Amino acid sequence: MTIRLYDTSARQIRDFTPLRPGCVSIYLCGATVQAAPHIGHVRSYLDFDILRRWLTYRGYDVTFIRNVTDIDDKILVKSEETGEPWWSIGYRNERAFNFGYDVLGCLRPTYEPRATGHIPEMVDMMRVLIERGHAYAADGNVYFDVKSFPGYLQLSNQELDNLRQPEGEGETGKRDPRDFAMWKAAKPGEPSWETPWGPGRPGWHLECSAMAHKYLGTAFDIHGGGVDLVFPHHENEIAQAKAYGDDFAAYWVHNGWVTMSGEKMSKSLGNSVLVSEMVKTWRPIVLRYYLGTPHYRSMIEYSEEALREAESAFARIEGFMQRVVEKAGGPVNPAPEVPPAFAEAMDDDLGVPQALAVVHTTVRQGNSALTADDKEAAVARLAEVRAMLGVLGLDPLDEQWAGGADRGEDLHGVVDSLVRLVLDQRQAARTRKDYATADGIRDELQQSGLVIEDTPSGPRWELGPR
């Protein structure tokens, strides 16, 4: 068994060999909490949640770090615009992000450090970099000297002579316009922390280098994030960390965007779709299926039509699972191992689309077994499907989803009672051979979004595709 991953730094798929046998360490760039998350934000963590689950299935002990950027230019701008304290904006939106992760079934990180909780680590890193000639203080700011680090821009494969470094307001005193800010001098009314170079606040890039060092040490296995972070964020992280003396990340894994009309989904473009609103219309497990089943490096073009297709595809899986459970007369546990074809797909750069094809093939085989009244084969296929969906975080029979958060079980019993009353009326009409009335009741139920199936044990209902 060899897991292979596309490494951005190598620009090719590589065999994955962890630094410590049996253990995997991952650092994922998390949320900048200036606003509530849209589905493009949670797509990144969802992709890495699947990677984490697969590594765990393969027997690794995974340490997973996801940071929170709770001090940032955008947060401070929002604070100035609204009059709300910066820390209040950050905390409220951090909770909104955690809701988005939780409602879509993502596992909690091992640690989730905040930038503002790690100022001493950042100050220590700057002190060492200044001593070694890789950074310098100017006008209360601290900048990284990019020409002092020969490996700069290797990740993004750019030429230094052609570089245009993004620059923020108040970044004065640079020796070279391509140098980037590690620490920003305090402005009136802004939060600040004391340092040997004057009061100020951290730059975006410094926090991740410092926190990765604290929680994962001088070297770790995988650094993840969206492809939009390759430059400048990840490039600058590498420069800071390696100039400090760390080996830093062995593999760089990046996920694609969620786009609308061909553009990256973002708050600034006004084309974002908030998770909190999406889950009012779409079942969270369906939203996870939609966001998590394309290949992690691909772009997802958002559309309601694509979501409806995902809903229909997942409904076919669920329908099979429900029928087998009824046939078996009770729960069916997941198989101890996933089918070899599924494992082969997942090992090959986390090939979820190919792995999902194995799921659907197994469902079709299970449906054929049901048609042939082969209970043993149907149960075996369901066990395999549950094992595969469990790895993807998509098993609707798992307590994570069956507990009610996804299906609204508080209302399910009420709806079931009402539907049963109508179905009893339909059955009474069939008994007296009033088939027109019986068919009319069925049609009305279907128009309400319910699918009615007559089974040997009586009629059953489920929510149909919208």
Side-chain angles (χ1 to χ4, degrees):
M1 174 271 296
T2 301
I3 295 175
R4 304 176 73 230
L5 293 171
Y6 184 86
D7 179 7
T8 304
S9 61
R11 282 173 276 283
Q12 65 179 352
I13 295 177
R14 297 173 55 200
D15 289 350
F16 175 70
T17 303
L19 298 173
R20 292 175 52 209
C23 299
V24 176
S25 47
I26 302 174
Y27 185 96
L28 176 66
C29 285
T32 299
V33 288
Q34 86 271 17
H38 57 64
I39 59 175
H41 290 127
V42 297
R43 190 244 171 135
S44 180
Y45 188 54
L46 202 159
D47 284 334
F48 285 92
D49 181 66
I50 294 173
L51 173 60
R52 176 189 186 178
R53 288 170 182 267
W54 182 244
L55 290 167
T56 300
Y57 173 83
R58 281 306 199 190
Y60 291 107
D61 180 12
V62 181
T63 300
F64 196 106
I65 310 300
R66 181 186 69 207
N67 75 298
V68 176
T69 300
D70 59 341
I71 185 70
D72 175 83
D73 290 344
K74 295 176 182 178
I75 296 173
L76 296 178
V77 168
K78 184 68 68 69
S79 177
E80 185 175 355
E81 290 174 349
T82 64
E84 184 179 1
W86 65 272
W87 48 265
S88 175
I89 293 172
Y91 181 62
R92 171 167 46 79
N93 289 311
E94 181 181 341
R95 293 180 66 185
F97 269 88
N98 284 330
F99 168 79
Y101 301 141
D102 291 345
V103 77
L104 294 185
C106 294
L107 302 173
R108 293 287 180 93
T110 310
Y111 304 109
E112 191 171 24
R114 295 186 182 96
T116 55
H118 296 79
I119 302 299
E121 290 83 358
M122 298 183 209
V123 170
D124 175 72
M125 183 167 280
M126 287 188 288
R127 178 185 55 77
V128 172
L129 291 173
I130 289 173
E131 289 174 355
R132 294 179 178 176
H134 291 293
Y136 58 94
D139 298 341
N141 301 296
V142 177
Y143 298 108
F144 187 91
D145 180 356
V146 298
K147 289 189 292 187
S148 74
F149 182 66
Y152 191 59
L153 300 180
Q154 287 185 358
L155 180 68
S156 56
N157 198 29
Q158 298 184 78
E159 296 291 336
L160 185 60
D161 290 342
N162 300 325
L163 179 66
R164 295 186 66 183
Q165 186 79 251
E167 189 168 302
E169 182 184 351
E171 293 184 9
T172 61
K174 283 187 179 182
R175 297 174 183 170
D176 187 312
R178 295 167 296 189
D179 295 344
F180 62 86
M182 303 173 66
W183 188 260
K184 299 189 177 187
K187 297 178 187 176
E190 287 188 353
S192 63
W193 290 261
E194 290 295 332
T195 75
W197 315 283
R201 59 183 175 84
W204 178 31
H205 316 299
L206 178 62
E207 60 177 277
C208 287
S209 299
M211 289 190 286
H213 176 86
K214 176 169 183 175
Y215 291 95
L216 297 177
T218 59
F220 58 96
D221 293 304
I222 298 171
H223 196 311
V227 68
D228 53 315
L229 299 182
V230 172
F231 180 83
H233 187 48
H234 289 165
E235 197 72 76
N236 292 351
E237 280 188 61
I238 292 171
Q240 294 164 152
K242 291 197 171 184
Y244 180 73
D246 290 354
D247 289 330
F248 213 48
Y251 296 80
W252 286 86
V253 179
H254 293 93
N255 65 277
W257 299 334
V258 178
T259 62
M260 290 182 71
S261 302
E263 293 186 273
K264 176 195 170 188
M265 185 173 289
S266 69
K267 300 182 185 76
S268 60
L269 290 174
N271 62 1
S272 58
V273 183
L274 297 182
V275 177
S276 58
E277 294 301 314
M278 291 291 289
V279 296
K280 294 177 182 177
T281 305
W282 301 92
R283 294 170 55 210
I285 197 170
V286 169
L287 195 55
R288 181 181 176 100
Y289 183 96
Y290 170 68
L291 293 172
T293 53
H295 194 274
Y296 75 91
R297 288 194 283 123
S298 67
M299 301 298 178
I300 300 176
E301 173 65 16
Y302 170 78
S303 71
E304 287 208 2
E305 180 182 359
L307 257 169
R308 284 192 292 269
E309 291 174 357
E311 182 181 50
S312 296
F314 191 71
R316 290 193 292 273
I317 297 173
E318 281 188 305
F320 159 71
M321 298 176 76
Q322 292 167 359
R323 287 190 290 274
V324 177
V325 169
E326 290 176 0
K327 184 79 172 178
V332 175
N333 292 325
E337 295 184 358
V338 299
F342 181 94
E344 182 180 354
M346 294 294 287
D347 282 340
D348 187 13
D349 194 30
L350 212 66
V352 174
Q354 294 78 15
L356 193 65
V358 179
V359 173
H360 283 286
T361 296
T362 308
V363 167
R364 288 193 292 271
Q365 293 170 346
N367 282 326
S368 296
L370 286 172
T371 301
D373 201 26
D374 187 344
K375 176 181 174 181
E376 183 177 350
V379 168
R381 300 293 80 74
L382 174 57
E384 291 173 346
V385 167
R386 288 203 65 190
M388 292 185 282
L389 292 181
V391 166
L392 301 176
L394 284 168
D395 181 3
L397 300 181
D398 188 275
E399 61 180 10
Q400 174 184 16
W401 300 109
D406 175 55
R407 288 180 162 270
E409 293 295 334
D410 54 332
L411 294 176
H412 188 280
V414 176
V415 174
D416 184 66
S417 297
L418 294 173
V419 173
R420 291 294 168 191
L421 286 174
V422 178
L423 289 177
D424 287 345
Q425 294 176 13
R426 176 174 175 259
Q427 184 58 42
R430 295 182 69 182
T431 299
R432 62 177 184 267
K433 298 184 179 181
D434 185 357
Y435 298 115
T437 298
D439 290 345
I441 292 173
R442 180 198 60 203
D443 293 343
E444 287 186 15
L445 288 172
Q446 289 178 340
Q447 290 175 9
S448 300
L450 301 177
V451 175
I452 308 303
E453 181 182 1
D454 293 311
T455 72
S457 58
R460 58 185 296 274
W461 68 271
E462 61 185 26
L463 290 175
R466 65 194 68 226

